[in-house]
Amino acid sequence: MTDHPQRILVFSHRPEVRDTIMGAVGRRPATDLPTVTYVEASGVADVLAEMDAGSVDLAILDGEAQPTGGIGLCRQLKHEITACPPIAVAVRRADDRWLATWSQADAVMVHPLDPLAAAETIAEVLRRQRLTAIQG
């Protein structure tokens, strides 16, 4: 198992949403995974720079971010970045889960975030990523 912390990008134009996401996922989403560190992005340019650099292991995008939402941004990243890291999208309404799925998100979280569910969702995505890296 890799002991280096997993880098998670958290995107929202609202700092309180970023704080909520980071608080819900926590510093270690599961005991079988390394700790995580966060890089915050408040604008699309920051997200693109981090994703293009290949410096993150996973991104969590706010589906309600303004002026560019995480759902459309997820779809763009999945189409434009070869070997795009996994992306989770946080939506406000459970009815919007289908939009996040359309965006090719690897996981969907619904506000208000339940810390246990959020941590497990992100842990599952990180586990799948690790398994793919081992097999690939």
Side-chain angles (χ1 to χ4, degrees):
M1 173 168 77
T2 300
D3 292 319
H4 81 282
Q6 300 287 284
R7 245 176 136 232
I8 297 178
L9 171 74
V10 179
F11 163 67
S12 178
H13 72 290
R14 296 174 41 201
E16 63 272 17
V17 172
R18 294 192 306 268
D19 288 342
T20 297
I21 291 169
M22 292 183 296
V25 174
R27 300 282 302 157
R28 187 173 214 146
T31 57
D32 63 319
L33 295 171
T35 59
V36 299
T37 59
Y38 294 100
V39 57
E40 296 183 55
S42 61
V44 173
D46 298 329
V47 173
L48 295 176
E50 290 288 340
M51 296 295 274
D52 284 341
S55 63
V56 296
D57 298 297
L58 179 141
I60 303 173
L61 309 179
D62 176 12
E64 309 298 320
Q66 297 295 322
T68 302
I71 293 171
L73 183 56
C74 177
R75 188 157 174 97
Q76 175 185 346
L77 293 168
K78 290 291 188 172
H79 283 266
E80 293 181 0
I81 297 177
T82 305
C84 184
I87 299 174
V89 175
V91 296
R92 291 272 171 220
R93 301 177 325 135
D95 289 346
D96 289 339
R97 293 178 75 90
W98 75 270
L99 282 169
T101 302
W102 167 84
S103 75
Q104 300 176 334
D106 297 279
V108 182
M109 301 184 299
V110 180
H111 287 283
L113 298 178
D114 174 317
L116 293 175
E120 184 55 33
T121 297
I122 297 307
E124 277 302 312
V125 174
L126 290 172
R127 286 183 192 114
R128 282 194 310 259
Q129 178 191 33
R130 290 178 60 175
L131 184 58
T132 301
I134 290 170
Q135 292 174 342

